[in-house]
Amino acid sequence: MSWRLVLRRAPALRVDARALSPARLRGLSADDVRRIALPSGRDRLELGQWFDVLQDDGDADVLDLEGDLARFDCIGAGLQDGTLRVRGDVGDSAGLGMAGGRLLVDGDARDLVGCAMRGGWLEVTGAIGDLAASALPGDMDGMVGGTLVVRGRAGDRLADRMRRGTVVIHGDVGDFAAARMVAGTLALGGACGAMPGWGMRRGSVVFAGAAPQATSTFVDVAAEAGVFWQLLARDLARFGPPFDDLPRRGMTRLAGDLAVQGKGELLVTT
Amino acid sequence: MAALQHNGVAIVDTFAEAFPMKATRLLVTARDLAWARHAAVSATGLATSVIACGCEAGIERELAADETPDGRPGVAILLFAMSGKELAKQVERRVGQCVMTCPTTAVFAGLPPAAGEPVALGRNLRFFGDGWQIAKVLQGVRYWRIPVMDGEFVAQESTPVVKGVGGGNLLLLADDTDAALAGATAAVAAMRQVRGTILPFPGGVVRSGSKVGSKYAGLVASTNDAYCPSLAALAPRTELGEGVRCVLEIVIDGLDEAAVAGAMRAGIAAVVARGAQAGVRGLSAGNYGGKLGPFHFHLRALAPAEGVAP
């Protein structure tokens, strides 16, 4: 039996929803689920105050949330297995530090999506805010594993300090995408704001849509890199348009950021 | 020794005795098949026998562009050694000296990652990049990009090692050298169609079949005098009947027992199909009485159905 929680009314204050996961609800009765308390402001309020708690015939490893959850932060934070589906918008830090499983958001998400993510699959059909796949304050590394897919646009400082994993943004992105990137792959389907790859040491940023305004600390590399491009393009093709035809497209390669290590690259498709 | 007759070819009622080995498959790709072949031939050179080569290696088959990770034509090669440690050494040495050096090539593991324990493929070769090398992890698989003078050499981080089977063999007993060569060539052509196997000797054929040991203390192997026509009347023991003046051997290494059996079956069928009138009068196999190798390939079980020409 899978759980379905339908939001009756939005809370007045922000709610930390990291306790909501398929694993946490597995084996509980409906009353037990209603009694789960979530932090809200200085209080802890029980789920039953906000949600209709329903059981469906389905996989026990699936939890469905429905409604406008824009005031619910940290949904899917620390998720390790199972599937958490949200039909509606979510708040900040969705998928914060998630290590496995699937978090699927059919709506928009605010800032810090997939921040410090370590594994799993995080997909948002709408737009997301700033600092997605980035680092927690004080951390050296941002996202270190897993896959983040966003069908809409993303805000500023996307993949800041990202170290490993794959981020795919189908829409436009803001300024400082892949800033201070350590490694990993960022693929962009739309337009890109200013200063892409600022301070990046390693890693790859693929521009399947509009070409970026690269800074002067990135240099053209004329050498053949067709083998690597085919490996990367074939991997990204699974994300659908506009990435599906990457293996049939060429690319030019800009290496940088020369202000730091300079082993990163901006791959601009042609 | 008793023999079955198939299309006039006597199939001796004996078996080939084979041994467990450590094996891996590598996919070598290049801008075109010619350069992939150059790299594969070079990487599998001097790899006929573990007696003195460190490993046995050969080309398994050629690959079309849609069969390779990077969409370029390539060649699948198999390498076999007596230990995982020796295989790791051979892989690194041969890929480093023969594949990385060959223009436009790249190298990938040809077995699924879960097939066995990984040994280094690009993991150590990356240091040739002198700090300029770059890694990329795609769907859990790490690749190394090493800057070289024609662009970059891409090598997968590691390749899995599996338990293979080495030393499957077939002996062709013929009227003369021409007949033996023609029969062996036909058998090799048929056996090379079997996936998961290689025939590590030149042209797939060995004329200096060996026995274990020697009268000389320093040698671990010496000529198989029981199958030398020149010694038929001299040696204390001979396995050759009247009229046999040339013997050639085909050695088979495979990724598993079924692959070796399949190759031997194909070889036997090819020789039998030509019939005794082609000059190969008999087929036999080498063994050590069943005491050394756990894999026994009985020719009787691998022969075509009795009385039916294949």
Side-chain angles (χ1 to χ4, degrees):
Chain A
M1 301 290 280
S2 64
W3 292 102
R4 186 158 64 95
L5 309 182
V6 180
L7 186 68
R8 287 196 302 272
R9 59 184 177 82
L13 299 175
R14 304 203 69 77
V15 177
D16 186 334
R18 72 185 69 205
L20 294 179
S21 72
R24 174 74 173 80
L25 272 57
R26 197 176 299 142
L28 298 182
S29 68
D31 284 341
D32 290 338
V33 173
R34 287 188 191 94
R35 280 197 291 271
I36 292 174
L38 302 180
S40 176
R42 290 188 298 177
D43 301 320
R44 294 180 67 85
L45 300 178
E46 293 184 351
L47 271 186
Q49 293 186 12
W50 298 312
F51 290 95
D52 289 329
V53 177
L54 308 168
Q55 277 190 302
D56 290 339
D57 293 330
D59 190 339
D61 286 333
V62 175
L63 169 60
D64 286 304
L65 304 176
E66 293 180 16
D68 181 4
L69 292 121
R71 289 185 180 169
F72 287 76
D73 299 327
C74 299
I75 289 178
L79 189 70
Q80 297 198 340
D81 55 20
T83 299
L84 180 50
R85 292 187 297 224
V86 185
R87 192 171 300 162
D89 298 343
V90 299
D92 290 331
S93 302
L96 175 76
M98 67 182 280
R102 296 170 68 85
L103 172 58
L104 309 173
V105 178
D106 188 5
D108 295 341
R110 290 173 37 133
D111 296 342
L112 297 163
V113 173
C115 184
M117 187 174 171
R118 290 184 288 141
W121 181 281
L122 201 173
E123 185 165 350
V124 180
T125 62
I128 63 171
D130 297 339
L131 290 162
S134 66
L136 284 170
D139 276 2
M140 290 296 291
D141 298 327
M143 179 178 182
V144 292
T147 304
L148 168 62
V149 182
V150 178
R151 303 289 170 182
R153 75 176 304 280
D156 295 341
R157 302 203 83 101
L158 169 70
D160 187 55
R161 286 190 181 277
M162 176 182 176
R163 186 179 190 91
R164 206 172 294 125
T166 303
V167 176
V168 177
I169 310 293
H170 288 250
D172 300 340
V173 301
D175 298 339
F176 288 95
R180 305 184 293 177
M181 188 182 205
V182 181
T185 302
L186 170 61
L188 306 178
C192 177
M195 307 294 283
W198 175 80
M200 73 186 293
R201 293 165 57 195
R202 298 188 300 273
S204 308
V205 184
V206 177
F207 297 87
Q213 289 288 326
T215 64
S216 58
T217 51
F218 282 84
V219 293
D220 273 313
V221 178
E224 176 81 33
V227 173
F228 167 69
W229 173 243
Q230 279 303 313
L231 295 175
L232 182 61
R234 286 165 176 233
D235 180 50
L236 294 174
R238 65 193 159 115
F239 295 100
F243 306 103
D244 56 344
D245 67 342
L246 287 182
R248 296 181 293 281
R249 296 166 65 180
M251 62 89 182
T252 57
R253 183 168 170 251
L254 302 169
D257 186 340
L258 299 181
V260 285
Q261 200 170 4
K263 288 167 72 175
E265 59 191 354
L266 307 181
L267 303 172
V268 184
T269 55
T270 54
Chain B
M1 203 171 287
L4 304 168
Q5 295 287 329
H6 286 272
N7 205 16
V9 178
I11 299 178
V12 179
D13 188 12
T14 187
F15 61 91
E17 188 173 355
F19 303 89
M21 297 183 86
K22 297 293 186 182
T24 194
R25 176 191 279 138
L26 302 180
L27 309 183
V28 178
T29 66
R31 175 69 69 93
D32 56 44
L33 192 54
W35 284 108
R37 274 198 209 108
H38 287 315
V41 167
S42 182
T44 57
L46 188 62
T48 53
S49 169
V50 290
I51 291 174
C53 302
C55 75
E56 297 177 7
I59 290 174
E60 181 190 17
R61 68 188 184 96
E62 293 178 350
L63 303 166
D66 59 0
E67 296 179 281
T68 62
D70 61 4
R72 305 188 303 168
V75 174
I77 62 174
L78 299 178
L79 298 98
F80 297 79
M82 297 307 288
S83 69
K85 190 176 175 185
E86 180 64 28
L87 186 64
K89 191 168 84 177
Q90 292 290 332
V91 166
E92 189 172 308
R93 186 172 291 176
R94 289 167 182 274
V95 172
Q97 298 302 311
C98 306
V99 180
M100 185 167 71
T101 56
C102 181
T104 78
T105 58
V107 66
F108 306 95
L111 294 169
E117 284 294 310
V119 298
L121 184 55
R123 187 164 61 221
N124 297 329
L125 295 176
R126 76 178 195 261
F127 294 113
F128 183 73
D130 200 24
W132 297 102
Q133 68 273 17
I134 307 173
K136 176 61 72 180
V137 179
L138 299 172
Q139 297 200 53
V141 178
R142 185 187 300 275
Y143 302 92
W144 285 100
R145 303 162 61 189
I146 302 165
V148 285
M149 294 193 300
D150 72 349
E152 59 185 21
F153 173 56
V154 176
Q156 195 167 326
E157 161 97 345
S158 61
T159 180
V161 171
V162 298
K163 290 178 181 173
V165 176
N169 64 83
L170 207 54
L171 292 162
L172 281 66
L173 317 180
D175 289 345
D176 54 36
T177 304
D178 287 341
L181 284 174
T185 302
V188 165
M191 295 165 86
R192 283 192 166 147
Q193 303 305 311
V194 179
R195 300 268 178 100
T197 63
I198 56 161
L199 313 176
F201 282 95
V205 184
V206 51
R207 62 103 176 258
S208 59
S210 59
K211 67 177 185 293
V212 176
S214 164
K215 68 180 285 187
Y216 304 107
L219 293 182
V220 295
S222 62
T223 191
N224 195 354
D225 43 43
Y227 285 94
C228 290
S230 60
L231 303 178
L234 306 175
R237 185 178 72 93
T238 183
E239 297 290 344
L240 305 181
E242 195 71 23
V244 175
R245 298 181 62 190
C246 181
V247 179
L248 293 178
E249 181 176 357
I250 300 172
V251 172
I252 308 108
D253 296 333
L255 290 178
D256 55 38
E257 196 173 355
V260 174
M264 288 183 64
R265 188 178 291 114
I268 293 170
V271 172
V272 167
R274 290 164 52 82
Q277 66 275 13
V280 178
R281 299 285 172 186
L283 288 169
S284 187
N287 62 65
Y288 311 95
K291 295 174 184 169
L292 296 179
F295 303 106
H296 299 165
F297 299 95
H298 290 268
L299 301 190
R300 178 194 288 267
L302 298 173
E306 200 159 359
V308 179

